[in-house]
Amino acid sequence: MTETLETLAKRVSQLEKVVAEMTLQLSGLVDTPEPAEPKRRKTTNEQYETQAIQKMREHLGIADIELMPLEELRKSMTRHGIRAEDNEFSRAIIEEREK
């Protein structure tokens, strides 16, 4: 069971890193003005985001794993003694949120 928890903790850490990188990449899109045809662009962006997330999940080997809601994940991590503050990437995300 410990090995599985360690593996999951590593995967969560990897996911947090990828999400942070994606957030930086997507922040440039958010700051740009809306195009003349917002519905068309939104559809394209949603498709791109869906494909990017699926690619990321396949790369991490979790494409077939059903995702749980974030609150449930946090409760599960707490029950198993996993603290976000102990992870370098999580600390960086927490620090950015507090700014």
Side-chain angles (χ1 to χ4, degrees):
M1 177 97 176
T2 303
E3 183 178 46
T4 303
L5 289 175
E6 290 174 6
T7 303
L8 288 174
K10 287 178 184 178
R11 287 185 174 181
V12 168
S13 296
Q14 290 173 336
L15 281 171
E16 288 174 337
K17 180 180 178 181
V18 172
V19 168
E21 290 172 0
M22 287 179 66
T23 301
L24 286 175
Q25 292 173 353
L26 293 174
S27 66
L29 294 174
V30 173
D31 295 336
T32 58
E34 286 294 317
E37 302 174 19
K39 288 183 181 179
R40 186 174 186 188
R41 180 168 183 220
K42 183 176 180 181
T43 302
T44 304
N45 282 344
E46 287 176 357
Q47 290 172 347
Y48 174 76
E49 290 169 6
T50 301
Q51 290 172 351
I53 290 170
Q54 183 60 29
K55 233 179 179 179
M56 176 185 66
R57 292 183 72 208
E58 288 171 4
H59 177 74
L60 294 172
I62 59 170
D64 298 331
I65 298 173
E66 186 176 335
L67 300 178
M68 66 173 73
L70 184 57
E71 274 306 311
E72 190 177 328
L73 174 64
R74 286 182 177 151
K75 288 177 185 176
S76 175
M77 289 173 63
T78 302
R79 279 194 306 267
H80 290 95
I82 301 170
R83 297 174 352 120
E85 299 82 16
D86 295 338
N87 179 282
E88 176 183 348
F89 299 109
S90 295
R91 279 195 306 270
I93 292 170
I94 292 168
E95 288 172 9
E96 286 300 315
R97 283 186 191 154
E98 293 175 352
K99 285 186 180 180

